Amino acid sequence: MTVYTARRLPALPGRAGWEAILPPPRAYPMLDDERSVDVAIIGAGFAGLTAACQLQRLNPHATIAMVEAGRLAENTAGRNSGFMIDLPHELKWADSAETGDDRTQIAWNRTAIAFAQTMGAEYNINDDYVAPIGKINGAASEQAEQHNKSYARHLDSLGESYEILDRQQMQAITGSPHYHGGLYTAGTVQLQPAGYVRGLANGLAARGVAIYESSPALSLQKQQGGWRVATPKGAVTAAKVILSVNGHLESFGFQRGRLLQLFLFAAMTDELDADALAKLGGETRWGITPSNPTGTTVRRIDTGQGGNRVVTRTCAVLRSNQRVLSADMTRAKRVIQQKFDQRFPQLAGAKMAYTWAGHLCMSMNGVSVVGEIDDGLYAACVQNGLGTVRGTLAGMAAAELACAELACGQSSPLTAYFAEQLAPQRLVPRPFRDVGANAVIRWREHQAGRE
């Protein structure tokens, strides 16, 4: 008898600000009985919700149940910065083969974005929660400006459009004197991640998908004809199961010693009053990702997304046991305030209403784990810090494999894309992994400087 038992459950400190600023949510029940469905989905984040949407599109008659360990939108998806980015963060430009890889990735990223926009329209999700407003690569140093120039040259080679922004334009957009310049691209959709997650769940529930909150999967037991997913007070038996838990794949015993369990930290200001808004200036809605990947991400949102606020994300730490320390949160709060004050001296000392940690999972060689990992058990995991687009693609692919109308293992262009990826590389053992990785992270954060 095959049994996979969860060694640990998700635990993320801090109130998720994106969820907190929205109206009270719809409550979903805890699973407290035994039920049987065609497909069970573990995890109600981007991958799990997308998988359910895709399953319904492929087979509207399939019965689906989804179990979420915590409250919907308070999970990692609801703690995401919300950028659905079409262009790879780190573009390659060494040769034509790598350029081809970039074009492939861009095409798949745009597939994910188009899926999100289609679901937004189909499920009547607030347009402000799926906003196609692009993003800016912000440069706060000469080195970062050179990076943007290199980035621009490669975009030229790909035939992608962009706009170079100077210091004055950056200040006019953001109200911040911090940035030397920027590179704007139009293809990014900026989500209100909690609002988007809620909208998908509400749309799915209206179409008959059973969603259970506060119902963590404790074990997966193989049975004749399927699997039994046990939760604290109930169980779901299903012919097929999709495990969409990102880094918690390792908690169930898969890919042990191969996954980097990282945590990033973010904070959201109090609602900015009229005086603060006048001091801040700039446009009401924009988003900046740093030219240096270990730099600071900043978003300005408005009343359509939950209030006039600034969201700042920075700091990273590797915790292989998937548990954030109180010292991690203390440091993050201090650094986030410093980064905010540097960018907005006119609002220095502004109170942060919410500070939270978010969990992301990476593999050393940048691959995901998407596909059948046991008979009738499919993974949609390891999103490599690109949870919005990579999670969406992973969910779509897992649904295609698990759909009752498709033969097990049937290929599509998307499932073939994931099937071609190598396995995650093995990591050095703990504690060397944690000590070494965190030293590298701190050094890169130091090198990022003003970014």
Side-chain angles (χ1 to χ4, degrees):
M1 178 186 299
T2 301
V3 180
Y4 299 106
T5 301
R7 300 177 63 189
R8 60 182 65 86
L9 298 177
L12 293 168
R15 179 79 188 275
W18 294 109
E19 166 72 7
I21 62 176
L22 294 179
R26 168 180 176 173
Y28 293 93
M30 176 187 292
L31 179 61
D32 60 2
D33 60 6
E34 298 259 352
R35 64 167 304 164
S36 179
V37 294
D38 295 320
V39 183
I41 299 174
I42 301 172
F46 289 108
L49 291 165
T50 297
C53 293
Q54 186 75 326
L55 279 166
Q56 286 220 316
R57 298 175 86 185
L58 296 170
N59 185 354
H61 303 295
T63 55
I64 305 168
M66 177 178 294
V67 294
E68 166 58 37
R71 294 296 305 278
L72 199 76
E74 290 183 3
N75 56 17
T76 293
R79 294 161 182 264
N80 192 287
S81 287
F83 290 88
M84 291 199 84
I85 302 173
D86 58 338
L87 302 174
H89 285 330
E90 286 294 294
L91 289 172
K92 312 178 189 72
W93 59 299
D95 56 39
S96 59
E98 291 186 328
T99 298
D101 291 342
D102 283 339
R103 288 196 174 101
T104 298
Q105 188 59 60
I106 290 167
W108 282 124
N109 290 348
R110 288 175 175 163
T111 296
I113 290 170
F115 186 93
Q117 292 176 310
T118 298
M119 291 299 97
E122 191 170 317
Y123 290 169
N124 297 313
I125 298 173
N126 187 329
D127 288 343
D128 289 321
Y129 297 171
V130 190
I133 62 175
K135 77 168 182 76
I136 300 169
N137 255 28
S141 66
E142 177 61 31
Q143 182 181 13
E145 286 193 285
Q146 292 303 316
H147 186 280
N148 272 353
K149 290 177 181 178
S150 172
Y151 191 15
R153 290 194 296 271
H154 187 53
L155 290 177
D156 286 333
S157 75
L158 291 169
E160 296 290 341
S161 61
Y162 59 89
E163 180 182 357
I164 296 293
L165 306 172
D166 61 23
R167 185 189 291 268
Q168 289 72 33
Q169 290 171 305
M170 288 293 288
Q171 186 161 358
I173 293 169
T174 66
S176 171
H178 183 77
Y179 295 99
H180 293 203
L183 187 150
Y184 170 79
T185 52
T188 292
V189 165
Q190 292 187 29
L191 304 176
Q192 207 294 11
Y196 176 70
V197 165
R198 281 191 191 180
L200 289 182
N202 292 343
L204 288 166
R207 298 185 180 194
V209 174
I211 299 175
Y212 299 99
E213 294 182 314
S214 303
S215 302
L218 302 180
S219 66
L220 312 175
Q221 180 179 338
K222 184 184 289 188
Q223 297 182 333
Q224 185 174 1
W227 294 85
R228 183 177 186 273
V229 180
T231 67
K233 295 188 177 181
V236 176
T237 300
K240 297 181 181 179
V241 173
I242 295 176
L243 196 56
S244 56
V245 292
N246 202 20
H248 279 281
L249 180 69
E250 191 173 24
S251 301
F252 287 92
F254 297 99
Q255 303 295 339
R256 284 184 183 167
R258 297 176 183 268
L259 306 182
L260 293 164
Q261 308 290 352
L262 287 157
F263 293 85
L264 296 180
F265 302 85
M268 179 183 288
T269 64
D270 273 334
E271 176 89 23
L272 300 177
D273 60 21
D275 180 59
L277 291 173
K279 290 178 180 177
L280 176 58
E283 298 178 2
T284 62
R285 191 182 291 184
W286 47 262
I288 289 178
T289 54
S291 295
N292 186 310
T294 53
T296 301
T297 298
V298 187
R299 277 187 65 177
R300 166 85 189 274
I301 63 172
D302 56 26
T303 53
Q305 295 177 318
N308 288 294
R309 302 171 185 266
V310 175
V311 183
T312 306
R313 188 177 78 167
T314 194
C315 292
V317 65
L318 182 80
R319 295 291 177 228
S320 293
N321 64 358
Q322 302 180 46
R323 291 293 180 266
V324 176
L325 304 177
S326 60
D328 297 330
M329 287 293 292
T330 298
R331 176 181 179 271
K333 289 178 181 180
R334 182 182 72 253
V335 173
I336 287 171
Q337 190 71 55
Q338 291 171 350
K339 299 296 185 183
F340 177 89
D341 292 351
Q342 286 175 354
R343 285 156 176 75
F344 307 104
Q346 67 272 46
L347 298 180
K351 181 183 176 184
M352 300 296 147
Y354 307 101
T355 303
W356 64 90
H359 182 196
L360 64 87
C361 178
M362 302 180 71
S363 59
M364 186 65 74
N365 50 338
V367 298
S368 296
V369 179
V370 178
E372 191 172 26
I373 54 177
D374 201 334
D375 294 337
L377 177 62
Y378 304 87
C381 300
V382 192
Q383 295 161 11
N384 286 285
L386 304 171
T388 55
V389 291
R390 189 61 69 94
T392 298
L393 291 171
M396 292 170 67
E400 290 175 13
L401 291 171
C403 180
E405 288 187 348
L406 298 178
C408 179
Q410 182 167 330
S411 179
S412 72
L414 181 56
T415 58
Y417 165 72
F418 282 112
E420 291 169 358
Q421 295 187 4
L422 301 174
Q425 291 178 355
R426 185 173 295 280
L427 306 173
V428 298
R430 297 172 60 191
F432 305 105
R433 179 196 317 165
D434 296 61
V435 173
N438 285 317
V440 170
I441 290 169
R442 294 294 172 268
W443 172 242
R444 289 183 177 175
E445 287 178 346
H446 172 74
Q447 286 184 310
R450 288 173 55 82
E451 300 306 313

